């Protein structure tokens, strides 16, 4: 018996060693874009041996059978068969070409699409599988972000302006046949701890390390973390590049997508249904791709999706996302995400690759921390020294090692930034964007206010500046002096501000101004001394007021999204252009006053839940929030204090929000109401904002004149609906142009008490809204040549007021995806 068993073992070993192994590794890619295609089905032809590519389009497949070719199949692409060498280990990169085909309508009866049953399971289990339902979760997240210049032609390399830095072209990566040759421009990585609590809802991130090629700045570090870069597949609508895309697992998805149940398979130990999806109609903001749905739990185990090639979105040649999920306890949490985008200003010209890879570790669910840990005053924390971590830290902390190309980016960028030509380019860009020229500890500018003009001053010359960041990152001095060649008068401004603390953000400052103002000018409009306002003004500017003001202010972020500003101001106003402030005496004789003085305490509160900012040293720019923005302003005037002529109170409430109505675009609305208590003259009433330039002003009434209407109590509404091409996409010619429709409506209704009317006589150009609300409406086209917008407005009433125009054409430049 033993000899027989040994004989069997001997025969088995011979048969095993006689088997020939064929092993193929490689990558599948789009033959046109050269982008890798994730999760392509790859199999040896004529066998049942197959596999799927990973998130980067890579695959490895092995067999002992005798084979001579390999087959790659992917929805939307023509299946491709390539020859292989039997019995060898080999590398093979497989190009796939997009399929172009038309089919006749097919009616399937009596059953339904089998994918719909699985989708209903996904919808029913969303509350269970969405991580937002957890009481709490936390994890360590590693983000890697890279931008590369692609499609670089020889003419670009030979430009004289690039000669001092032509060594960078030695770093062009052309080894990968699945990608266009590209030059790394920017690289960043971060490691952070992210925390979430459901009730009350709060998110917190602590960035432990942040490394940006050529940059060491905590204000940049905040954007490399999780807080600014997360999208939830379980949301019915996802915001990508500011546009609303319908999620493939949206409850309304069957109205937008076609679904195909391809197969069922084991994916990393979980039995899954493989469903492919593609849009039903052209140019809608949708995805195409594949998803793997876990059996029983109906959670998304893996999804890969790309924006459709004909989607009405600018500057994006291609964009795809791959997400992997794993089960942690009773929850499904993202394990890894990769995003790749190909951007360009012009089609098939030089562009930019953007890549983001994110991985998650140490995931903990349903374990809340102490209340003191979750603070609303600061939900994004950059640890001290996070931007200056050494190489040892990164080698120990990275979830993935860097490639040779990635390692070289830091050195190349650092070399470029030390060249004099780089400093010159940087100065030019800063000068054009900010308007200021940096000269050591000071910045001179802004250039667009140095020369302007109006009817009162004639040609206005101005010189100004402020201290630079090299002078101080805690204190800033600024000011200007201006002179009118016609009125031969000097105007001045001097300001000082300083941080008290940076965490929380807390500043104070003093401001003095003696200059001319336009009453009824919106905060969004060009100031009167902007050269563009002088060029595009539709009527002569002669209705101005001289204002001398002293102001002391204090500002603080009470917690994330909630800001308060308190100020105390003394202000003197006097009319210009030969006009005076007139009133009627008790004996019916006329009197006049040369000016009005007010002393005010002002409080401004602004609440924008979960708002995010681009942080500068002293200033910051909001990048928005998904929630309404509420602003409350309160002013108290004191008579007799520092010469104040009037005692009064003024309050206003403003609500600003965006509502999305996919696929009908989105609506921006602003609703504001206000009231004044006490007796005040017309310069202290609410001056409704007009626009007398050719440049579109979204926050003003574009067919109303400056200083045309005033109220002491009012309510106004501003509605602007962006259809995002909903109608034009249905018209073949306009579909190719990718124009987008806009419609707007604005109205304000208010009144002025008899007491306030009689305090000072209204000028002949100033009116009340005693005949009902003022209204105007408009239609427009945006995305003309991808950056130009034109609006046509018509005024619906108060057409008998002097100097008004019933219709108006306004234009603007805007960069939108």
């Amino acid at each position: 018996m033993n000899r027989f068993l040994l004989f069997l073992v001997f025969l088995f070993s011979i048969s095993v060693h006689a088997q020939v192994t064929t092993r193929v590794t490689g990558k599948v890619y789009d033959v046109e874009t050269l982008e890798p295609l994730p999760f392509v089905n790859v199999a040896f032809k004529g066998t049942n041996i197959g596999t799927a590519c990973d998130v980067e389009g890579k695959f490895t497949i092995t067999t002992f059978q005798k084979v001579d070719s390999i087959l790659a199949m992917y929805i939307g692409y023509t299946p491709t068969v390539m020859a292989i060498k039997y019995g060898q280990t080999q590398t093979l990169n497989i190009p796939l070409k997009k399929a172009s085909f038309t089919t006749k309508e097919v009616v399937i009866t009596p059953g339904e699409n089998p994918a719909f049953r699985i989708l209903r399971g996904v919808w029913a289990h969303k509350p269970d599988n969405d991580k937002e339902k957890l009481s709490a979760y936390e994890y360590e997240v590693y983000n890697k972000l890279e931008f590369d210049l692609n499609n670089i032609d020889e003419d670009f390399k030979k430009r004289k302006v690039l000669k001092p830095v032509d060594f960078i072209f030695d770093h062009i990566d052309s080894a990968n046949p699945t990608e266009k040759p590209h030059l790394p421009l920017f690289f960043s990585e971060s490691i952070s701890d992210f925390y979430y609590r459901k009730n009350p809802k709060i998110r917190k991130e602590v960035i432990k390390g942040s490394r940006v090629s050529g940059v060491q700045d905590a204000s940049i570090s905040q954007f490399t973390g999780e807080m600014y870069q997360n999208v939830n597949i379980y949301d019915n609508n996802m915001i990508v590049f500011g546009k609303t895309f319908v999620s493939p697992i949206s409850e309304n998805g069957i109205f937008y997508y076609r679904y195909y149940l391809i197969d069922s398979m084991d994916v990393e130990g979980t039995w899954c249904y493989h469903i492919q999806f593609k849009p039903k109609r052209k140019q809608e903001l949708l995805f195409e791709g594949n998803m793997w749905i876990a059996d029983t739990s109906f959670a998304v185990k893996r999804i890969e999706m790309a924006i459709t090639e004909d989607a009405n979105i600018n500057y994006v040649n291609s964009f795809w996302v791959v997400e992997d999920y794993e089960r942690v306890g009773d929850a499904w949490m993202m394990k890894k995400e990769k995003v790749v985008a190909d951007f360009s200003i012009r089609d098939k010209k030089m562009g930019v690759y953007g890549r983001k890879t994110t991985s998650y570790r140490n995931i903990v669910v349903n374990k809340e921390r102490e209340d003191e840990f979750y603070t609303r005053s600061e939900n994004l924390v950059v640890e001290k020294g996070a931007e200056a971590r050494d190489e040892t830290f990164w080698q120990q902390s990275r979830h993935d090692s860097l490639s040779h190309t990635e390692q070289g980016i830091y050195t190349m960028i650092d070399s470029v930034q030390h060249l004099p030509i780089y400093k010159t380019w940087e100065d030019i860009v800063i000068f054009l964007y900010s308007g200021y020229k940096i000269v050591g500890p000071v910045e001179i500018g802004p250039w667009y206010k140095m020369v302007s003009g109006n009817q009162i001053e004639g040609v206005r010359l101005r010189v100004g500046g402020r201290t630079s960041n090299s002078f101080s990152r805690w204190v800033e001095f600024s000011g200007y002096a201006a002179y009118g060649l016609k009125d031969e008068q000097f105007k001045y401004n001097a300001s000082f501000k300083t941080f008290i603390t940076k965490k929380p953000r807390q500043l104070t400052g003093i401001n003095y101004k003696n200059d001319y103002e336009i009453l009824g000018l919106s905060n969004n409009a060009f100031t009167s001394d902007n050269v563009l306002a002088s060029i595009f003004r539709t009527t002569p500017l002669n209705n101005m007021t001289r204002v001398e003001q002293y102001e002391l202010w204090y500002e603080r972020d009470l917690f994330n999204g909630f800001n308060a500003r308190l100020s105390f101001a003394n202000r003197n106003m006097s009319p210009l252009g030969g006009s005076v402030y007139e009133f009627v005496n008790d004996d019916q004789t006329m009197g006049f006053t040369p000016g009005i003085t007010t002393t005010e305490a002002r409080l401004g509160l602004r609440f924008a839940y979960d708002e995010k900012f681009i942080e500068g040293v002293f200033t910051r720019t909001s990048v928005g929030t998904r929630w309404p923005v509420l602003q409350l302003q309160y002013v108290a005037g004191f008579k007799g204090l520092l010469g104040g002529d009037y005692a009064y109170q003024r309050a206003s409430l403003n609500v600003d929000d965006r509502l999305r109505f996919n696929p009908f675009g989105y609506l921006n609305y602003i609703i504001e109401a206000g009231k004044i208590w006490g007796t005040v003259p017309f310069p202290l009433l609410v001056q409704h904002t007009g626009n007398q330039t050719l440049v579109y002003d979204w926050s003003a009434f574009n067919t109303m004149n400056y200083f045309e209407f005033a109220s002491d109590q009012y309510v106004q509404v501003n509605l602007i609906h962006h259809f995002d091409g909903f109608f034009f996409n249905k018209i073949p010619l306009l579909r190719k142009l990718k124009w987008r429709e806009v419609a707007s409506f604005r109205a304000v209704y208010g009144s002025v008490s008899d007491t306030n009317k009689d305090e000072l006589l209204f000028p002949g150009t100033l009116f009340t809204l005693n005949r009902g609300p003022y209204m105007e409406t408009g239609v427009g086209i945006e995305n003309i040549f991808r950056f130009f917008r034109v609006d046509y407005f018509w005024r619906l009433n108060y057409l008998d007021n002097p100097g008004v125009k019933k219709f108006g054409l306004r234009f603007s430049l805007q960069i939108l995806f």
Side-chain angles (χ1 to χ4, degrees):
M1 179 68 68
N2 290 337
R3 289 182 178 179
F4 181 70
L5 288 175
L6 289 172
F7 179 69
L8 289 178
V9 171
F10 174 72
L11 290 177
F12 177 75
S13 64
I14 292 177
S15 65
V16 169
H17 287 292
Q19 288 179 344
V20 177
T21 301
T22 303
R23 179 184 176 89
V24 182
T25 61
K27 182 180 285 190
V28 183
Y29 62 95
D30 186 302
V31 70
E32 295 180 358
T33 67
L34 302 181
E35 281 294 314
L37 298 173
F39 305 121
V40 175
N41 295 315
V42 179
F44 290 113
K45 187 177 181 182
T47 75
N48 60 356
I49 299 171
T51 187
C53 296
D54 66 12
V55 298
E56 297 178 338
K58 297 177 182 178
F59 70 90
T60 298
I61 187 170
T62 304
T63 185
F64 298 118
Q65 298 184 27
K66 189 171 183 179
V67 291
D68 59 7
S69 57
I70 196 168
L71 170 66
M73 295 182 297
Y74 197 55
I75 187 171
Y77 288 79
T78 303
T80 298
V81 177
M82 297 187 70
I84 58 173
K85 297 178 181 179
Y86 169 66
Q88 295 186 19
T89 297
Q90 56 211 279
T91 300
L92 184 68
N93 293 313
I94 306 175
L96 290 187
K97 184 177 181 180
K98 277 189 169 62
S100 57
F101 57 88
T102 57
T103 60
K104 296 181 180 180
E105 180 180 4
V106 177
V107 179
I108 301 176
T109 58
E112 68 168 352
N113 185 336
F116 289 175
R117 181 189 68 82
I118 301 167
L119 288 170
R120 284 196 296 270
V122 173
W123 302 336
H125 288 78
K126 266 189 178 185
D128 301 322
N129 296 323
D130 186 354
K131 65 180 181 181
E132 299 299 307
K133 60 94 177 181
L134 299 172
S135 63
Y137 60 80
E138 61 185 69
Y139 44 69
E140 181 184 76
V141 56
Y142 172 70
N143 265 310
K144 187 166 60 175
L145 185 64
E146 179 181 345
F147 289 98
D148 310 314
L149 197 65
N150 62 37
N151 270 354
I152 306 170
D153 58 32
E154 292 300 320
D155 291 337
F156 179 80
K157 296 180 188 179
K158 294 177 182 178
R159 291 183 179 180
K160 291 183 180 180
V161 70
L162 296 176
K163 190 171 183 180
V165 294
D166 59 2
F167 69 88
I168 64 175
F169 297 117
D170 296 335
H171 293 263
I172 290 180
D173 187 352
S174 58
N176 191 340
T178 68
E179 294 183 339
K180 310 169 191 175
H182 54 273
L183 173 68
L185 292 179
F186 172 90
F187 185 79
S188 75
E189 51 185 336
S190 72
I191 190 84
S192 60
D193 291 327
F194 186 85
Y195 307 90
Y196 168 85
R197 185 180 68 182
K198 182 177 181 180
N199 189 23
K201 182 175 287 188
I202 190 169
R203 293 177 174 86
K204 178 178 180 179
E205 182 172 18
V206 179
I207 296 180
K208 301 183 290 187
S210 175
R211 193 178 184 188
V212 182
S213 53
V215 178
Q216 289 189 358
D217 194 316
S219 64
I220 299 297
S221 299
Q222 63 183 321
F223 285 96
T224 64
E226 173 80 350
M227 193 79 74
Y228 282 74
Q229 305 185 43
N230 201 355
V231 175
N232 188 355
I233 187 66
Y234 284 95
D235 291 337
N236 285 329
N237 296 306
M238 299 184 295
I239 309 302
V240 182
F241 302 119
K243 300 293 183 182
T244 304
F245 284 76
V246 178
S247 169
I249 60 172
S250 166
E251 282 91 338
N252 300 317
I254 58 175
F255 299 109
Y256 301 97
Y257 291 101
R258 292 188 175 93
Y259 296 94
Y260 308 90
L261 178 60
I262 302 300
D263 200 356
S264 59
M265 64 183 68
D266 183 276
V267 180
E268 298 178 340
T270 301
W271 195 255
C272 297
Y273 301 106
H274 177 192
I275 297 177
Q276 293 182 340
F277 51 91
K278 61 188 300 185
K280 286 186 174 182
R281 294 170 291 273
K282 290 184 177 182
Q283 282 199 299
E284 292 189 354
L285 299 177
L286 301 168
F287 299 98
E288 60 184 353
N290 301 263
M291 55 186 171
W292 286 258
I293 306 300
D295 187 20
T296 308
S297 68
F298 292 96
V300 176
K301 170 63 178 172
R302 176 182 293 168
I303 187 167
E304 58 85 10
M305 55 188 181
I307 292 177
T308 56
E309 187 176 359
D310 61 354
N312 191 343
I313 189 168
N314 295 325
Y315 316 119
V316 181
N317 297 325
S318 62
F319 175 87
W320 60 265
V321 182
V322 179
E323 296 178 347
D324 281 299
Y325 293 81
E326 65 178 343
R327 191 160 198 159
V328 181
D330 295 330
W332 285 86
M333 303 292 290
M334 190 184 299
K335 180 175 67 174
K336 190 171 184 178
E337 179 186 50
K338 183 167 185 179
V339 179
V340 177
D342 183 6
F343 305 96
S344 66
I345 301 298
R346 298 172 58 193
D347 294 337
K348 298 182 180 180
K349 297 294 182 180
M350 187 169 62
V352 173
Y353 279 137
R355 316 167 194 267
K356 182 176 81 78
T357 303
T358 307
S359 55
Y360 303 84
R361 286 183 181 174
N362 306 327
I363 302 173
V364 179
V365 300
N366 290 331
K367 290 186 179 180
E368 293 188 35
R369 292 178 174 254
E370 298 295 327
D371 289 342
E372 294 75 15
F373 178 80
Y374 303 100
T375 170
R376 287 197 175 275
S377 62
E378 191 174 16
N379 68 345
L380 180 58
V381 179
V382 180
E383 286 187 355
K384 185 177 181 180
E387 68 278 5
R389 301 297 189 194
D390 59 22
E391 189 58 37
T392 301
F393 169 86
W394 288 109
Q395 289 177 359
Q396 296 173 348
S397 302
R398 288 189 187 103
H399 293 189
D400 296 303
S401 59
L402 298 184
S403 67
H404 176 73
T405 301
E406 291 170 340
Q407 292 173 355
I409 295 176
Y410 288 120
T411 302
M412 184 195 73
I413 298 296
D414 185 66
S415 299
V416 170
Q417 290 187 330
H418 282 85
L419 294 174
I421 187 66
Y422 176 84
K423 181 62 177 174
T424 301
W425 292 344
E426 184 181 45
D427 289 346
I428 292 173
V429 171
I430 291 175
F431 178 70
L432 294 176
Y433 176 74
S434 71
Y436 287 87
K437 168 65 177 174
I438 302 175
V439 184
V442 299
E443 300 178 10
I444 301 172
W447 59 264
Y448 50 81
K449 292 189 176 183
M450 289 183 173
V451 180
S452 60
N454 56 70
Q455 291 294 102
I456 296 174
E457 296 178 276
V459 176
R460 174 185 166 109
L461 305 177
R462 168 175 154 161
V463 60
R466 64 191 181 192
T467 54
S468 67
N469 296 339
S470 63
F471 173 81
S472 175
R473 300 175 74 89
W474 281 81
V475 175
E476 181 185 89
F477 296 90
S478 62
Y480 66 81
Y483 183 77
L485 299 185
K486 181 178 179 181
D487 68 346
E488 299 181 345
Q489 294 291 314
F490 282 99
K491 299 90 185 174
Y492 314 94
N493 171 271
S495 298
F496 161 81
K497 62 183 173 184
T498 181
F499 279 102
I500 300 173
T501 60
K502 293 192 175 183
K503 294 182 179 181
R505 181 183 172 89
Q506 193 173 192
L507 302 95
T508 187
I510 301 172
N511 177 61
Y512 170 76
K513 178 175 72 171
N514 191 333
D515 203 347
Y516 297 171
E517 285 187 7
I518 304 173
L519 300 182
L521 184 70
S522 81
N523 293 329
N524 185 61
F526 291 132
T527 57
S528 60
D529 59 351
N530 190 306
V531 65
L532 296 178
S534 302
I535 294 173
F536 295 113
R537 193 170 289 129
T538 56
T539 56
L541 180 58
N542 52 22
N543 198 352
M544 303 181 74
T545 302
R546 181 148 199 161
V547 175
E548 183 178 20
Q549 175 176 282
Y550 301 84
E551 182 186 24
L552 172 66
W553 59 269
Y554 167 79
E555 182 178 326
R556 176 183 175 130
D557 285 349
L558 300 175
F559 55 84
N560 181 52
F562 190 23
N563 174 267
R565 181 184 172 97
L566 180 65
S567 63
F568 183 81
N570 181 261
R571 179 179 173 94
N572 179 269
M573 293 181 288
S574 55
L576 294 170
S579 60
V580 294
Y581 292 150
E582 294 183 299
F583 57 88
V584 179
N585 292 309
D586 293 338
D587 60 2
Q588 300 303 307
T589 61
M590 299 298 297
F592 71 92
T593 180
I596 297 169
T597 299
T598 62
T599 301
E600 296 179 339
R602 305 166 179 170
L603 173 64
L605 300 176
R606 185 178 188 274
F607 179 67
Y609 178 73
D610 203 27
E611 185 175 30
K612 299 175 178 63
F613 293 92
I614 299 175
E615 295 278 359
V617 177
F618 289 98
T619 60
R620 59 184 180 179
T621 302
S622 173
V623 293
T625 173
R626 298 176 60 183
W627 305 95
V629 178
L630 306 177
Q631 296 184 78
L632 175 65
Q633 303 289 333
Y634 174 77
V635 176
F638 303 96
K639 184 175 182 178
L641 181 61
L642 300 179
D645 295 323
Y646 295 94
Y648 54 91
Q649 298 179 75
R650 182 172 68 244
S652 66
L653 177 64
N654 179 291
V655 181
D656 184 353
D657 193 17
R658 172 174 292 181
L659 301 177
R660 297 182 182 273
F661 300 96
N662 204 47
F664 305 104
Y666 59 92
L667 171 72
N668 290 336
Y669 73 83
I670 303 173
I671 300 175
E672 181 174 308
K675 182 175 176 61
I676 297 174
W677 296 268
T679 301
V680 294
F682 72 82
L684 302 183
L685 296 175
V686 175
Q687 310 292 330
H688 300 299
T689 54
N691 181 17
Q692 290 182 264
T693 72
L694 293 173
V695 180
Y696 169 67
D697 185 348
W698 60 268
S699 65
F701 295 93
N702 283 273
T703 55
M704 182 187 291
N705 291 339
Y706 298 134
F707 203 51
E708 185 181 354
F709 291 103
S711 301
D712 57 22
Q713 58 181 357
Y714 70 97
V715 60
Q716 70 180 49
V717 61
N718 185 340
L719 306 175
I720 308 170
H721 193 94
H722 300 257
F723 287 94
D724 265 349
F726 177 78
F727 298 106
F728 288 167
N729 287 347
K730 310 296 189 294
I731 305 172
L733 177 61
L734 296 180
R735 181 192 305 150
K736 292 182 179 180
L737 295 174
K738 293 190 175 182
W739 287 358
R740 302 168 187 169
E741 322 84 343
V742 183
S744 62
F745 174 79
R746 295 168 173 84
V748 57
Y749 182 60
S751 63
V752 178
S753 68
D754 292 337
T755 304
N756 289 336
K757 285 181 185 177
D758 297 337
E759 185 64 20
L760 285 180
L761 294 181
F762 275 36
T765 58
L766 183 64
F767 302 90
T768 65
L769 295 165
N770 62 321
R771 291 183 287 164
Y774 169 90
M775 295 180 292
E776 67 179 31
T777 188
V779 294
I781 300 175
E782 58 185 354
N783 206 45
I784 302 172
F785 307 120
R786 298 188 179 184
F787 63 87
F788 193 68
R789 171 175 169 173
V790 175
D791 286 85
Y792 184 76
F793 292 96
W794 58 95
R795 178 171 171 148
L796 301 180
N797 54 0
Y798 290 97
L799 300 177
D800 55 347
N801 284 2
V804 303
K805 297 178 180 178
K806 184 176 181 179
F807 302 104
L809 197 64
R810 302 289 184 265
F811 71 88
S812 60
L813 304 179
Q814 54 186 18
I815 305 298
L816 299 173
F817 282 103

